[in-house]
Amino acid sequence: MELPNYHATMTTTKDPQEKGAPKIEHERNGLMKRLRRSASATEHNLSNLRNRKSTQNLFDQHGNPIDLRQYRKVLDKDENGNGTNGSEKKTRYRRTQSVTRAEEISTKEEKQRKAQPGRPIHRPRDSLFSWSSGFTNFTGLVNWGFLLLCIGGLRLGLENLLKYGIRINPLDWFFFISGRNEGEGHNALILIIFSLVHISLCLAVEKGLAMEIIAEGLGIFIQIVNIIVLVCLPVVIIHLKGHAFSLMGASTVCFFYSILFLKIWSYVQTNMWCRQTYYQKNPRERRPSITLAELKNGHLDGGDEDEDISKLVQYPDNLSYRDLLYFLCAPTLCYELNFPRTSRVRKRFLLKRLLEVMIGVHVVMALFQQWIIPSVRNSLIPFSNMDVALATERLLKLALPNHLVWLCFFYLMFHSFLNAVGELLNFADRNFYCDWWNAINIDTFWRTWNMPVHRWCVRHLYIPVVQMGYSSRQASTIVFLFSAFFHEYLVSVPLQTYKIWAFMGMMGQIPLSAVSKYIERRLGPRMGNILVWASIILGQPLCIMAYYHDYVVTHFQNSLNGTEYES
């Protein structure tokens, strides 16, 4: 039976005892419960029913009469089931007065204690470390922890300096970056220049699709093949001609082609959305041909425009080398026809960022050469012999310098370098990172630490997958699979050591995310944040040690037996 309709029209009927009385008597208890639990029986409705003086009946949607006199006890109860008569009101009033009275007695007692000649100083209060105290200012402890961390890092740095001496040599940095003592010729530079073929093909196909020279299906197929060949080309070339590439050159090629893959994907998909919006309302119907010249002359303009507002670029006016090259150089992975632009270049801001880039590169290279390389080399024998205790000690010893390098790299890349590029190109969106250091679970960290990649994954992968009918969890798994592939791509291809440690590390973020959310719920956001920091600090050096071991075993098998272990 449906819930009664309290907004029904009031009508006069016969007495319910004459017709329908057995049915109402049988269902009275059920109706009384439904009256209380009905979503429509709000306090406003109940108050109106309580104030009714008429004995006329209400009808539900089935035509059954409802006599308010039979449900007076129900209507006289509030939402908590308490009666609303005078005695109940007096009881609640007395209880309220009793609480107030208790507080008044406590206040008078405290005043009397303070007035005693013994000069009392005690009062009810909690210890500061108790959650109930409400105390939150632990700035001094944070400073203490930071100072202790600096002292520990200084001791490790001094130990490294006494053991290995000064290993910093800027000339070696130049040789490593330029690949002077590695590889043959300038193969990395040639491969980067060859990417113009993929870029030109992409632009040519988009122009053909816009002018209806190329069919939509054929054009999309060509673009898919183009971006797949784009990402696979470095793998094939480096695998066949690995000796001709330096480690830095191969890493640069893989990083460049990965960024180019993401940008061209975004470029193709965004232009496809534009075509669907402006042209493909009915794909089977022949559309009147519109030339590019007509579009440039304002053929599709809708009316008068404000002269003070800059005219936005419309599709297909954006299909030009200038527009595409600007996007390829811009500090973003998501293509738009009209990017937000700044009005001028701030020279002082740009100079600061460029100075940070120059200093940051030297700091990272110095830390890497002085601290990380000896620690990684000394981890080879314990890691190869599966000596858990020594391998753990090497892992913890490597964690601090690796984390410092990672933090320096983050600031160098996401703040200094990308801001400098954005300033040069008048690119106004500088949200390259969020407050990932406050992340209370793994999901929050991955959504905030690298905003260009996060926005690309949401816009071009997560949302399209969800729109295809997959669940949000399945879409998130696909995003992690995609990210795991490129993490492995950026490590295994330059090293020519095709393992799956980076892939497994990224896929391991899925169960780690569930664990971090559980810890956040049970132990609070502070413990969730600690787990995030622990995964960052310990996960990366473990991956470095694993890849260094596999790299030596794969390429320098004889060096493994001749390596001497240093404590």
Side-chain angles (χ1 to χ4, degrees):
M1 180 177 180
E2 298 292 336
L3 297 180
N5 184 4
Y6 293 107
H7 301 286
T9 305
M10 297 290 296
T11 55
T12 305
T13 59
K14 298 180 181 180
D15 186 57
Q17 299 295 332
E18 297 178 5
K19 184 179 180 180
K23 184 176 182 180
I24 295 178
E25 186 68 23
H26 177 72
E27 299 180 354
R28 178 177 299 175
N29 295 331
L31 283 173
M32 290 171 67
K33 293 181 180 179
R34 292 175 183 270
L35 280 169
R36 287 298 310 146
R37 299 177 180 176
S38 174
S40 62
T42 61
E43 183 63 26
H44 176 72
N45 292 333
L46 289 176
S47 63
N48 291 338
L49 293 176
R50 293 184 189 118
N51 295 330
R52 288 187 185 276
K53 302 299 183 181
S54 174
T55 59
Q56 293 175 328
N57 298 320
L58 292 174
F59 287 92
D60 62 11
Q61 61 182 6
H62 297 289
N64 298 320
I66 302 175
D67 189 359
L68 295 179
R69 294 173 297 179
Q70 298 179 5
Y71 307 110
R72 180 57 55 187
K73 292 183 179 180
V74 176
L75 298 176
D76 287 341
K77 292 181 178 292
D78 58 11
E79 291 184 354
N80 298 322
N82 300 322
T84 59
N85 52 25
S87 61
E88 288 291 329
K89 291 181 180 180
K90 291 180 180 179
T91 302
R92 291 198 301 272
Y93 180 76
R94 285 201 305 270
R95 289 176 181 173
T96 305
Q97 288 295 319
S98 63
V99 174
T100 306
R101 180 63 177 167
E103 294 177 354
E104 182 181 354
I105 293 174
S106 176
T107 303
K108 288 183 178 180
E109 181 183 355
E110 184 177 357
K111 291 181 179 180
Q112 291 177 359
R113 289 182 64 254
K114 289 183 178 181
Q116 288 181 342
R119 300 180 181 179
I121 61 174
H122 297 289
R123 59 184 176 85
R125 47 193 168 185
D126 294 324
S127 299
L128 295 184
F129 285 148
S130 301
W131 290 107
S132 56
S133 67
F135 183 79
T136 57
N137 186 10
F138 294 99
T139 305
L141 292 179
V142 173
N143 295 335
W144 164 78
F146 181 76
L147 181 61
L148 196 63
L149 179 64
C150 291
I151 293 174
L154 182 61
R155 187 202 69 82
L156 290 176
L158 183 60
E159 178 187 356
N160 177 273
L161 187 64
L162 294 175
K163 180 182 294 186
Y164 304 109
I166 299 178
R167 300 173 56 90
I168 299 174
N169 186 359
L171 190 61
D172 291 341
W173 308 347
F174 171 75
F175 290 158
F176 175 73
I177 294 175
S178 62
R180 181 173 179 179
N181 297 328
E182 303 178 72
E184 302 173 359
H186 304 282
N187 297 280
L189 182 60
I190 294 173
L191 200 56
I192 290 175
I193 295 175
F194 182 78
S195 64
L196 291 174
V197 175
H198 299 279
I199 296 171
S200 302
L201 177 61
C202 174
L203 181 60
V205 173
E206 287 299 325
K207 285 186 175 182
L209 288 171
M211 299 177 66
E212 298 182 317
I213 299 175
I214 302 176
E216 182 72 19
L218 177 61
I220 296 299
F221 175 77
I222 295 175
Q223 296 287 33
I224 292 175
V225 173
N226 184 35
I227 60 176
I228 291 177
V229 172
L230 173 70
V231 77
C232 293
L233 183 63
V235 180
V236 177
I237 298 299
I238 294 176
H239 179 72
L240 296 177
K241 300 289 184 179
H243 61 278
F245 288 85
S246 65
L247 180 60
M248 188 66 185
S251 300
T252 303
V253 167
C254 291
F255 183 78
F256 176 82
Y257 271 77
S258 299
I259 298 299
L260 189 61
F261 171 84
L262 299 178
K263 290 201 174 209
I264 289 185
W265 180 325
S266 178
Y267 186 78
V268 171
Q269 195 167 20
T270 303
N271 283 301
M272 181 186 69
W273 294 334
C274 292
R275 286 195 303 275
Q276 292 174 350
T277 302
Y278 289 100
Y279 295 108
Q280 291 189 345
K281 302 201 174 166
N282 189 352
R284 296 185 179 181
E285 180 181 348
R286 180 62 183 173
R287 299 181 297 273
S289 60
I290 301 175
T291 64
L292 292 176
E294 290 176 332
L295 288 173
K296 291 180 180 179
N297 292 331
H299 182 83
L300 296 180
D301 291 346
D304 296 336
E305 296 182 358
D306 193 344
E307 295 181 356
D308 295 334
I309 301 176
S310 60
K311 186 177 180 181
L312 297 179
V313 176
Q314 301 293 333
Y315 182 86
D317 293 343
N318 62 305
L319 300 178
S320 64
Y321 265 111
R322 181 178 180 180
D323 180 84
L324 180 54
L325 291 178
Y326 177 85
F327 167 59
L328 295 178
C329 296
T332 181
L333 299 175
C334 296
Y335 176 71
E336 293 180 7
L337 276 68
N338 299 276
F339 290 106
R341 306 289 291 271
T342 57
S343 59
R344 64 184 182 89
V345 175
R346 297 170 293 177
K347 296 181 178 61
R348 183 175 297 179
F349 179 85
L350 177 61
L351 183 61
K352 288 181 180 179
R353 301 289 83 79
L354 292 176
L355 189 62
E356 288 175 354
V357 171
M358 294 176 59
I359 296 176
V361 169
H362 287 79
V363 169
V364 169
M365 296 299 293
L367 287 173
F368 197 87
Q369 190 177 35
Q370 178 68 38
W371 209 342
I372 291 184
I373 291 178
S375 298
V376 172
R377 285 179 176 175
N378 290 337
S379 68
L380 181 61
I381 298 300
F383 202 84
S384 179
N385 296 335
M386 295 303 293
D387 191 335
V388 178
L390 286 178
T392 303
E393 188 268 340
R394 289 290 131 185
L395 172 66
L396 297 177
K397 193 172 183 178
L398 179 61
L400 181 59
N402 173 79
H403 190 62
L404 289 176
V405 169
W406 184 80
L407 290 176
C408 291
F409 174 79
F410 164 78
Y411 186 87
L412 175 66
M413 174 61 68
F414 289 94
H415 185 75
S416 302
F417 179 74
L418 292 182
N419 266 296
V421 174
E423 196 68 26
L424 284 172
L425 298 177
N426 297 106
F427 190 82
D429 187 1
R430 308 292 177 83
N431 182 223
F432 304 124
Y433 56 91
C434 293
D435 58 335
W436 55 266
W437 46 88
N438 293 325
I440 56 179
N441 54 59
I442 299 297
D443 283 356
T444 305
F445 169 77
W446 287 112
R447 287 196 301 265
T448 53
W449 98 276
N450 189 341
M451 294 307 297
V453 173
H454 170 69
R455 290 195 185 94
W456 189 95
C457 290
V458 172
R459 185 192 191 203
H460 295 287
L461 196 58
Y462 180 85
I463 293 178
V465 169
V466 171
Q467 291 175 346
M468 291 170 62
Y470 294 92
S471 65
S472 59
R473 180 171 297 182
Q474 291 172 328
S476 299
T477 303
I478 292 175
V479 170
F480 272 105
L481 278 169
F482 188 84
S483 178
F485 167 78
F486 273 98
H487 276 77
E488 190 66 51
Y489 179 87
L490 293 173
V491 178
S492 293
V493 176
L495 295 177
Q496 301 181 55
T497 306
Y498 302 100
K499 302 295 181 180
I500 58 171
W501 306 125
F503 183 89
M504 295 301 296
M506 279 303 301
M507 294 308 298
Q509 301 298 306
I510 298 177
L512 186 60
S513 173
V515 172
S516 66
K517 289 181 179 179
Y518 175 80
I519 291 179
E520 176 197 350
R521 290 193 304 267
R522 296 298 300 269
L523 302 179
R526 180 175 299 178
M527 293 303 298
N529 181 254
I530 290 175
L531 180 62
V532 171
W533 277 111
S535 66
I536 297 173
I537 295 173
L538 298 178
Q540 294 174 0
L542 180 61
C543 189
I544 291 174
M545 291 166 57
Y547 273 104
Y548 178 73
H549 171 267
D550 293 337
Y551 178 77
V552 172
V553 170
T554 303
H555 300 282
F556 306 99
Q557 181 67 41
N558 297 330
S559 300
L560 183 61
N561 298 327
T563 302
E564 296 181 359
Y565 169 73
E566 298 180 16
S567 60

